Amino acid sequence: MNQNFEPKIIAFLCNWCSYAALDLAGTSRMKYPPNFLVVRVMCSGRVDPQFVLEAFRRGADGVLVAGCHPGDCHYIEGNIKTLRRMTLLKRMLEEFGIEKERFRLEWISAAEADKFVKVANEMFEQIKALGPLKLKEVNTHE
Amino acid sequence: MNKPKIALYWCASCGGCEEAQVDLAEKILDLVNLVDIVFWPVAMDYKLEDVEKLPDGSITASLINGGIRLSEHEYVVKLLRKKSKLVVAYGACSAWGGVPGLANLYSREEILKYVYHEAPTVENPQKIQPQLKIKAEEGATLELPEVFPRLLPLDLVVDVDYYIPGCPPTPDVTWKAIETLLSGNLPAKGSVLGALDKSLCYDCPLNETKPEKVLIKDIKRPHEVIADPSKCLLTQGLMCLGPVTRGGCGALCIKAAMPCTGCFGPLNEVMDYGGKAASYFASIIDYSDEEEIKKVLGKILDPMGIFYRYSLPASRLRGKITVMRR
Ligand code: SF4
Ligand code: SF4
Ligand code: FES
């Protein structure tokens, strides 16, 4: 494992639950790795699988998508659509050769700061162990 | 007055694009009246040297089909780029990699090993494999083009002005595109010629039977059902990619009761056709429970082959990352 490797992890967090959980973790002075670049979205249903692919393409070592628990989505079933989409996307990422630890879908409510911290720590450790994805420069012809 | 010059070339493709061009039928004669075809390996006897001798920029348009897989493809398309005012990616393989582009899920070494040694139909006890260069017994040196580590769409190798979609483009689309190219009234660079800017559903005769909101409980593969040809195929559980595919083919497959496999490619705003198509299709599975969802989606045996059938090399990740990284 390369000790100097600092993974870059993109986190798409829904405004109403998971982003609020991250906020709560911060105001409660809980510690989590600083490697998460957060993109706040109104609902996890806004996260098109294309965003995940684009994140990996642009150099992310991991991607987290998190939203409200099923039944709690502020747009009724945005997160259920996300569940369907990401279930299929996971299979495709595997075929692209992206290890399954690099992508996670989680339900994290506004009160679950501890769950956010747990997920963040786990992802950080796992991805650090895997090493960098090195996908930035796939566009050029060798 | 000199007629405009046109060149037609093939790279890693199946020959279907040439079929489609020949299928212009008697319109081919109109074409020959309008233009001089200066290079067309499938049908005419001009050689590469003839193209090399042409002044730079003297060909009005080169229509190139197939993806770039060999050093020879790269050489010829770069030559045609230099000699042409306009370069047009003709057909799905040239535009986004096409079916041969699915090989980007495997390394060149894996492919060569399978094709020359392991495929069940191959008998090769001497373990012969093509070399780039050999000295023949008579003293001459024989060369073969190099197989690149992966397949690339045309626009990753040379600057491309326009795209003509389809696997293959229909004669109608081809003719419309040629008319646009010769009209002098050219659309913005990067435009798709000869097709629609709306999805196939817009152009589909079954669209009126498609409800506002489609949800399906089960996925059917084409051999598992006899489709009702008068009802939107998607509502019958068939994986029709019409909603995310560019219209313009005239709904050919649908008219034969076959679901669209997406050969006209993405609409303008889409950055990854497979990602978009998978997103749309998964979202209409009518279950909320993870296990049920998994079970239904499990009926898609080969998601890459279904959603990236024509566009893996143009996807965000271009193929399997261990193949892409090198
Ligand atoms: S989903 Fe397919 S069959 Fe249904 S309207 Fe669209 S193109 Fe036609
Ligand atoms: S229906 Fe779909 S797959 Fe068939 S020709 Fe049209 S775009 Fe291509
Ligand atoms: S609002 Fe949080 S997942 Fe939809």
Side-chain angles (χ1 to χ4, degrees), chain A:
Chain A
M1 188 195 334
N2 176 0
Q3 284 305 330
N4 296 325
F5 164 54
E6 286 296 337
K8 203 179 263 178
I9 306 172
I10 308 295
F12 294 100
L13 306 180
C14 115
N15 180 56
W16 304 104
C17 288
S18 311
Y19 188 84
L22 166 102
D23 234 10
L24 180 61
T27 50
S28 320
R29 304 253 182 273
M30 295 168 119
K31 274 197 189 150
Y32 61 87
N35 306 56
F36 287 78
L37 299 172
V38 176
V39 181
R40 175 157 59 152
V41 288
M42 285 310 278
C43 172
S44 69
R46 179 66 187 92
V47 186
D48 189 315
Q50 292 181 102
F51 300 176
V52 178
L53 296 165
E54 178 71 357
F56 282 122
R57 160 69 177 278
R58 294 226 208 154
D61 300 300
V63 178
L64 167 67
V65 178
C68 314
H69 283 265
D72 288 349
C73 172
H74 287 53
Y75 308 93
I76 302 169
E77 55 161 16
N79 53 1
I80 300 300
K81 292 212 169 103
T82 306
L83 173 62
R84 296 173 188 155
R85 290 179 178 132
M86 301 306 157
T87 303
L88 185 52
L89 179 67
K90 277 181 190 169
R91 284 178 61 198
M92 294 165 77
L93 288 176
E94 215 169 295
E95 295 215 36
F96 273 119
I98 295 182
E99 297 90 345
K100 62 179 188 315
E101 292 83 359
R102 294 188 192 271
F103 175 74
R104 250 167 109 155
L105 171 67
E106 290 290 343
W107 310 132
I108 305 174
S109 80
E112 290 177 317
D114 50 338
K115 182 166 181 190
F116 178 82
V117 171
K118 183 172 165 273
V119 167
N121 278 322
E122 273 175 22
M123 268 192 101
F124 172 78
E125 290 301 334
Q126 288 170 342
I127 293 172
K128 194 156 166 115
L130 285 173
L133 191 63
K134 286 200 214 111
L135 240 174
K136 238 178 248 161
E137 299 304 327
V138 292
N139 204 356
T140 45
H141 179 41
E142 60 271 85

Side-chain angles (χ1 to χ4, degrees), chain B residues 101-114:
Chain B
L102 283 169
N104 281 5
L105 290 171
Y106 306 90
S107 70
R108 165 178 58 192
E109 291 64 33
E110 285 172 296
I111 294 168
L112 292 175
K113 195 162 150 229
Y114 185 80

Side-chain angles (χ1 to χ4, degrees), chain B residues 216 218-225 236-239 259 299:
Chain B
I216 57 173
D218 195 13
I219 297 171
K220 294 268 182 352
R221 299 172 68 202
H223 67 275
E224 293 175 327
V225 276
Q236 303 181 53
L238 287 157
M239 298 190 57
K299 287 201 77 179

Side-chain angles (χ1 to χ4, degrees), chain B residues 196-211 214 227-236 238-261 264 280:
Chain B
L196 304 176
D197 279 335
K198 291 202 161 112
S199 79
L200 174 65
C201 290
Y202 172 82
D203 207 22
C204 172
L206 305 182
N207 198 10
E208 42 195 69
T209 68
K210 185 168 135 211
V214 182
D228 174 352
S230 66
K231 237 178 86 196
C232 169
L233 302 174
L234 194 56
T235 60
Q236 303 181 53
L238 287 157
M239 298 190 57
C240 186
L241 297 183
V244 285
T245 301
R246 182 182 294 275
C249 67
L252 283 180
C253 301
I254 316 294
K255 285 175 185 160
M258 282 297 283
C260 171
T261 58
F264 266 51
Y280 126 75

